[in-house]
Amino acid sequence: MAVLGNILNPSKEASNRRFTHRLRACLAGFIFLLLAINAPAQISREYQLKAVFLYNFAQFTEWPPDAFADPQAPLVIGVLGRDPFGAYLDEAVRGEKINGRPLIVQRYSGIQDVQNTHILFISDSESKHLLPILASLQGRSILTVSDMEDFVPRGGMVRFLTTNNKIQLKINVNAVKAARLSISSKILRSAEIFPPAAK
Amino acid sequence: MLRNTPIKRKLTVIILLISTAVLLITCAAFFAYDLFTFRQSMVAHLSTLAEMTASTSTAALAFDNPKDAQETLSALKAEQHIVAACLYDKDGKFFAAYPANSPTNNFPTAPEPAGLRFEGSYLVAFQPAMQSGGLQGTLYLKSDMGALYERIRLYSLIVLLVMLGSFIVAYLLSSLLQSQISQPLLQLAETAKAVSERQDYSVRAAKLGRDEFGLLTDAFNNMLEQIHNRDLALQEAQQKLRQHADDLEKRVAERTARLSETIAELEAFSYSISHDMRAPLRAMQGYSDYVMENYGEKIGPEGQQYLQRINRAGMRLDTLIQDILSYSRAARAQMDLHPVDLEKLLDDIIQQYPGFQPPQVEITIEKPLGSVIAHEASLTQVISNLLGNAIKFVQPGQTPRIKIRAEPRGDDLRLWFEDNGIGIASKDLNRIFAIFERVHAERTYEGTGIGLSIVRKAIERMGGQVGVESELGKGSKFWIQIKKS
C-alpha cells in the first residue's frame, strides 16, 4: 500500500514562511518529544516524493526535437537555488532512462547557469527573482516547476500543491504550450488547470 | 429396429436421420469453431482493455493519485463482464481497486508476470502500466466468462431452432419425395397381394417410370402374363384329364357291370345245369342198379360188365357235378366272416371223414394254430380238399404223412400243409389252381381238376391268398393265408 505524501507540517503559504518555519520547528520539537527521531524523516518525505514526481514529469512530457542535441543526449533535471531534495533526486533518477536517454541532475545558483536544461525546479529561495527568472526562460523549452504559491499565475508551468496531506499539481497550460512542450493529458486530468476553464 | 415398419416410414426416418446427423455435425463444427474464435476474441478484447486501462492509469500511479486511479478503474463499469480489477504500484504494493472499496483479499497479494490466463471460469490478466518505457505499476483484471456462456446459450438456441426448422423441412421434403421410391414398390406389393389373395393372374401393376422400378414392374407383369397363360393351359389340361378319367371310369364301370352280369349268368347257368343234370343221372344210375339186380343173370357176365361201366361213369359224372356245384357255391355264396378256431375245425374235419384217420394217413398238427377270420363252411371245404389232395397224390403203397402248422405273417396267419407226396414239377406250379387243370392222367390219379380251384376261389373270397412250394418227387407244401382274429 502506497504511503501517501503525509506531511505532518504542511507549508501552505509561501508568504508566511517564517511563521511556518516557526510552527514547523515547534511541531518538530513536539513530535521529536513524542516520536524522538521520526520528525526529520517525515519532513524530507515530502521532498522524497517531489523528487520522484520531478523524475515522473520527464516521462509524461514531450519536448520538441530541437531541445536535444542528439537522440542519445541526456535529459537534464535542474534545481535552481537552495536544493530541498538532498540526495533524493539523485536517487530517483539513478540508472533510469527515458526513451533511451540517461537522466542527469544539475544544480544552479543563478539563472545564468541554466543552459541545456529540460526540467527546472525553482526553489523557494528564488521567489524574489521569480519574474526575471521566468522572463529569461521565455521561449525556451524548459518545464518549470516550483512550490511557490503564485508560481502559476505569474507564468510558471507546474506547481506542487499540498492539500489534505497530498501533493497535487497546478498546471499553467498556456505557459506549457508557449514553451512548445506537451504534458500528457493523463496528468492534466487529475491536475488543477490554470487558467480555470470558463464555465 | 426398422425391419417391420412400412417402407414409407422407413424412407422418411432414414432421410430425417441422415439430415439430422449431417446438421448436427455441421452445427457442432461451427459451434466449436465459433466458441474457439470467440474465446480468442475474448482474450484479445481483455488484453486490449487491460492495455488501455493500464496506460490510462500511469499518471495516477506516477503522481501517487489513488483517487484518480480509482476513477480510471471505475470506467470498467461499462464492461459488465469485468468482475474485479486492481492496480499495484511499481513496488508491487496495492494501489487501487475496482469495484471501489473491495477488500484487498479479493485480489492477488502481489502482481504476477504479465499475461492472460484462464483461472477456473474466469479470465485473468496482468498488464504492466508503462510510461515512456518506464514501469509505473501493474494492472490486474478479472473477467467472468459470462459472454462465453451467453454465446453458448444463444448458439444452442440457434442450433435448436435450425434443427427444428430443418427437421420440419426435411420431413416435408422426404414425405413428398419418398413416394418416388415407395410408390412403385407399394404398387408392386399391392398387385402381388391381389394376385396371391385372389389367384387372379390377369391383374397388372402400373408402370410409373422407366427406372429400375419400371424394369421391375415390366418383369413382374411379364411373369404374371406367363403364369396366367400357364394357369389357363393347366386348367384346360386338367379339365380334359378329368373328363377323360370320368369317361374311363364310366366305361370301366359299364364293362365291369356287363362282365359281372355275364359271369353271374354263367355261374347261374352252370349251377342250374349241374343241378338239373343230377336228376337224370340219378335215374340212369338207379335204373342200371335195378337192371343189375333183377336182370343180371339174364344179360350174362358181359352185360353185367357193361352195366358196371355205365354205373362207374355215372358216379364219376356225379362227382364232377358235385365239384362244380361246390365251386359255384364258393364263387356265389354269401361269405359271412367270423372268428374260427383252427384246431377245433381240423379236429372236426378229421373226425368226420374216416379217410383222414389212421391208418390211411398220418396227420401231425403243430399246436397251437390260433384262430382266423373266415367263413367256416368254406374253410372246411378248403381244408378237406387240401387234405384230400395230399392223401391222393402219393406213390402207390406209401402211407401219406401230412404236417399242419401255422405261421403268423403280420395281421395274417399262414397255414401250411406239408405232405410226402409225389410233388409238382415246377412247370406245372402255375396252373394247378386253375379250374379243370389236371397234371396227371385220369387213369393214374382220379379227380375232376376242380378241387384246388375251389380252394383258391374260397380263400380269395375271404380276402386271403393261396400258394404252393414243391419239387417233383419231394412232396408239396401248400399254404393258405387269411386274416388272424
Side-chain angles (χ1 to χ4, degrees):
Chain A
M1 174 102 199
V3 176
L4 304 181
N6 276 334
I7 297 148
L8 291 180
N9 190 5
S11 78
K12 280 187 178 179
E13 309 289 326
S15 55
N16 47 4
R17 217 174 67 245
R18 272 181 177 283
F19 167 77
T20 306
H21 274 286
R22 206 175 296 135
L23 186 65
R24 188 192 287 170
C26 283
L27 274 172
F30 182 65
I31 287 163
F32 183 80
L33 285 173
L34 285 175
L35 305 169
I37 54 166
N38 227 10
Q42 289 296 341
I43 292 164
S44 54
R45 168 121 205 128
E46 180 187 351
Y47 282 93
Q48 188 181 348
L49 212 55
K50 284 177 179 172
V52 172
F53 279 20
L54 274 185
Y55 156 67
N56 282 341
F57 282 131
Q59 289 177 306
F60 287 90
T61 308
E62 274 179 39
W63 281 264
D66 60 339
F68 297 98
D70 58 75
Q72 272 77 46
L75 194 144
V76 180
I77 299 177
V79 179
L80 180 62
R82 191 176 53 81
D83 180 4
F85 303 108
Y88 289 133
L89 190 56
D90 301 275
E91 269 172 34
V93 304
R94 186 177 301 135
E96 298 286 351
K97 278 193 172 181
I98 289 168
N99 295 329
R101 298 178 196 281
L103 286 146
I104 291 175
V105 178
Q106 290 180 348
R107 293 179 177 79
Y108 314 109
S109 52
I111 187 65
Q112 67 283 352
D113 298 333
V114 177
Q115 292 299 320
N116 202 3
T117 306
H118 300 98
I119 297 174
L120 182 67
F121 181 80
I122 301 169
S123 173
D124 284 356
S125 62
E126 306 302 311
S127 61
K128 289 171 189 149
H129 322 292
L130 182 60
L131 281 177
I133 289 170
L134 288 177
S136 72
L137 292 174
Q138 195 83 38
R140 295 168 68 176
S141 296
I142 296 172
L143 185 73
T144 56
V145 184
S146 180
D147 281 332
M148 286 179 274
E149 189 195 9
D150 50 356
F151 183 65
V152 165
R154 287 192 182 184
M157 294 179 196
V158 181
R159 185 205 155 193
F160 289 132
L161 183 69
T162 306
T163 43
N164 301 332
N165 291 353
K166 290 193 69 182
I167 298 168
Q168 283 193 313
L169 304 176
K170 188 171 183 177
I171 298 172
N172 185 335
V173 286
N174 292 336
V176 170
K177 207 179 281 173
R180 294 185 295 137
L181 297 177
S182 131
I183 294 184
S184 167
S185 60
K186 298 172 194 171
I187 295 180
L188 298 178
R189 200 177 55 209
S190 57
E192 190 185 324
I193 304 297
F194 182 90
K199 297 236 169 148
Chain B
M1 169 182 80
L2 282 173
R3 197 151 294 165
N4 295 326
T5 39
I7 190 157
K8 277 180 162 188
R9 180 100 40 84
K10 221 177 273 185
L11 281 170
T12 308
V13 167
I14 287 169
I15 292 168
L16 285 186
L17 275 179
I18 290 171
S19 52
T20 309
V22 168
L23 208 63
L24 259 181
I25 291 166
T26 314
C27 282
F30 274 115
F31 202 9
Y33 172 75
D34 191 83
L35 282 186
F36 177 74
T37 47
F38 186 70
R39 208 172 123 123
Q40 300 282 90
S41 75
M42 255 179 84
V43 168
H45 177 71
L46 191 71
S47 171
T48 311
L49 191 67
E51 269 172 42
M52 277 169 60
T53 310
S55 162
T56 321
S57 310
T58 47
L61 285 161
F63 296 100
D64 193 18
N65 196 336
K67 198 164 147 270
D68 185 38
Q70 194 81 65
E71 270 168 32
T72 307
L73 287 183
S74 70
L76 290 171
K77 263 208 309 277
E79 295 284 337
Q80 56 171 337
H81 295 298
I82 302 294
V83 290
C86 74
L87 278 166
Y88 304 88
D89 68 12
K90 64 176 161 188
D91 299 324
K93 287 184 192 145
F94 195 83
F95 190 72
Y98 167 85
N101 306 322
S102 336
T104 51
N105 54 15
N106 276 4
F107 304 97
T109 47
E112 286 164 35
L116 280 88
R117 59 182 173 274
F118 287 95
E119 268 178 13
S121 59
Y122 294 99
L123 180 58
V124 164
F126 284 97
Q127 175 69 39
M130 309 284 282
Q131 183 68 41
S132 304
L135 181 74
Q136 302 297 344
T138 306
L139 173 73
Y140 165 77
L141 277 184
K142 186 177 182 184
S143 168
D144 68 18
M145 309 281 270
L148 192 67
Y149 298 146
E150 228 164 72
R151 190 84 165 183
I152 290 173
R153 262 200 299 281
L154 181 71
Y155 258 63
S156 303
L157 190 70
I158 289 171
V159 166
L160 201 73
L161 287 176
V162 166
M163 293 285 296
L164 204 70
S166 54
F167 193 83
I168 289 167
V169 170
Y171 178 76
L172 290 177
L173 276 179
S174 66
S175 300
L176 283 175
L177 296 177
Q178 50 86 12
S179 67
Q180 293 283 325
I181 289 168
S182 66
Q183 196 67 19
L185 265 183
L186 287 176
Q187 210 154 44
L188 270 179
E190 199 105 318
T191 312
K193 200 173 145 200
V195 167
S196 68
E197 265 180 6
R198 290 187 269 129
Q199 313 275 293
D200 182 359
Y201 298 108
S202 61
V203 185
R204 291 291 175 272
K207 187 177 170 182
L208 294 175
R210 272 184 295 170
D211 57 356
E212 285 83 349
F213 283 120
L215 289 178
L216 191 62
T217 311
D218 278 348
F220 183 70
N221 285 341
N222 242 326
M223 251 158 60
L224 276 181
E225 181 89 45
Q226 283 176 21
I227 292 173
H228 186 48
N229 289 342
R230 282 189 200 178
D231 192 48
L232 285 180
L234 192 65
Q235 275 178 2
E236 214 170 307
Q238 272 179 343
Q239 194 147 10
K240 266 188 200 163
L241 206 61
R242 212 173 302 135
Q243 216 169 342
H244 221 68
D246 285 353
D247 282 359
L248 212 58
E249 232 167 83
K250 222 180 283 170
R251 237 185 303 167
V252 167
E254 267 171 32
R255 297 224 176 139
T256 310
R258 235 184 299 159
L259 205 59
S260 32
E261 210 175 300
T262 311
I263 288 170
E265 270 170 20
L266 261 177
E267 280 173 351
F269 174 72
S270 66
Y271 181 80
S272 59
I273 287 253
S274 309
H275 196 265
D276 293 351
M277 274 184 353
R278 287 190 79 185
L281 189 57
R282 283 274 151 74
M284 283 163 70
Q285 278 185 314
Y287 285 111
S288 75
D289 281 350
Y290 186 79
V291 169
M292 191 72 156
E293 271 177 31
N294 297 325
Y295 306 97
E297 286 166 15
K298 289 179 187 170
I299 57 170
E302 204 173 338
Q304 278 178 10
Q305 205 179 350
Y306 287 134
L307 267 180
Q308 272 170 359
R309 281 198 184 180
I310 291 170
N311 211 348
R312 270 206 301 277
M315 275 163 69
R316 270 217 312 283
L317 186 58
D318 191 44
T319 314
L320 182 62
I321 289 169
Q322 276 187 43
D323 277 357
I324 289 173
L325 281 173
S326 294
Y327 180 80
S328 298
R329 258 198 307 274
R332 284 154 44 95
Q334 189 80 27
M335 284 278 180
D336 293 324
L337 302 183
H338 301 288
V340 177
D341 186 350
L342 286 173
E343 284 168 28
K344 191 172 169 292
L345 187 73
L346 270 166
D347 283 349
D348 287 351
I349 292 170
I350 292 166
Q351 291 261 298
Q352 260 173 12
Y353 295 88
F356 293 158
Q357 291 164 12
Q360 271 81 10
V361 62
E362 283 177 29
I363 295 180
T364 327
I365 298 174
E366 281 191 5
K367 293 184 178 178
L369 294 176
S371 54
V372 290
I373 305 282
H375 184 239
E376 192 168 344
S378 299
L379 190 58
T380 305
Q381 173 97 59
V382 164
I383 291 172
S384 302
N385 284 8
L386 285 172
L387 288 177
N389 270 3
I391 292 164
K392 189 161 65 183
F393 295 104
V394 287
Q395 292 288 351
Q398 193 172 20
T399 308
R401 273 195 298 276
I402 306 170
K403 194 167 90 181
I404 302 171
R405 62 183 179 91
E407 180 195 351
R409 285 208 159 205
D411 287 342
D412 294 347
L413 199 72
R414 184 177 280 195
L415 199 61
W416 288 91
F417 299 84
E418 301 173 6
D419 62 41
N420 62 338
I422 54 171
I424 306 157
S426 57
K427 67 176 165 66
D428 297 323
L429 281 176
N430 287 333
R431 45 190 201 99
I432 56 168
F433 286 103
I435 196 164
F436 299 130
E437 288 288 349
R438 291 178 53 90
V439 175
H440 303 284
E442 171 104 43
R443 245 169 254 123
T444 325
Y445 295 100
E446 271 181 38
T448 58
I450 296 176
L452 283 176
S453 312
I454 295 169
V455 168
R456 185 168 73 172
K457 192 74 180 178
I459 293 296
E460 277 176 358
R461 288 208 58 205
M462 284 183 245
Q465 292 170 287
V466 294
V468 63
E469 291 175 9
S470 183
E471 229 179 284
L472 200 58
K474 293 199 174 165
S476 306
K477 296 175 178 178
F478 281 88
W479 55 263
I480 58 174
Q481 187 175 325
I482 40 181
K483 209 159 234 33
K484 263 196 299 204
S485 81

